[in-house]
Amino acid sequence: MNDIVWGTVTKVIDNNKFEMNVTHRKDENKNDYADNEIIIFTEIDIMSIPAEPSIRTIQQIEDAIKGKFIKCEIETRSNDGLTCKVFHSGAGGY
């Protein structure tokens, strides 16, 4: 299973990238994560954001996730950030 982090989106950088304040980490994570991480999403399961990257706008992404508590399932880490699948957090914040 992939590592998982939760936190609040603080800044949208591009139509597939944002900055997140990481506040929660899954206890079973294999890696360590900073309090602030850059998230590059390969999939985003949020209804108001188009699934097709070429038709997304930064404004749509900001309206949907900026300031929101979200869940990131981490696929890989690179010098550019964490590549993740992104979801709205569930009930109770997780």
Side-chain angles (χ1 to χ4, degrees):
M1 178 157 243
N2 294 342
D3 284 4
I4 298 174
V5 296
W6 293 264
T8 303
V9 176
T10 56
K11 178 181 178 184
V12 176
I13 300 167
D14 202 348
N15 71 348
N16 71 334
K17 187 186 294 187
F18 59 85
E19 187 175 284
M20 184 172 85
N21 178 14
V22 177
T23 56
H24 297 77
R25 296 152 180 86
K26 184 176 155 190
D27 289 339
E28 296 83 14
N29 282 351
K30 295 179 179 112
N31 298 296
D32 293 324
Y33 300 97
D35 289 342
N36 289 293
E37 294 279 2
I38 299 295
I39 306 298
I40 304 160
F41 55 90
T42 56
E43 293 180 36
I44 190 159
D45 188 17
I46 297 175
M47 296 293 288
S48 57
I49 298 176
E52 175 57 44
S54 65
I55 61 173
R56 289 182 199 140
T57 68
I58 291 175
Q59 189 63 51
Q60 286 172 318
I61 297 166
E62 283 182 345
D63 291 346
I65 65 173
K66 188 172 180 185
K68 302 289 192 305
F69 190 72
I70 59 167
K71 172 184 174 182
C72 296
E73 293 182 1
I74 300 157
E75 298 171 342
T76 61
R77 178 189 285 281
S78 69
N79 290 336
D80 294 329
L82 303 173
T83 301
C84 305
K85 293 179 183 175
V86 174
F87 308 88
H88 269 302
S89 189
Y94 294 96

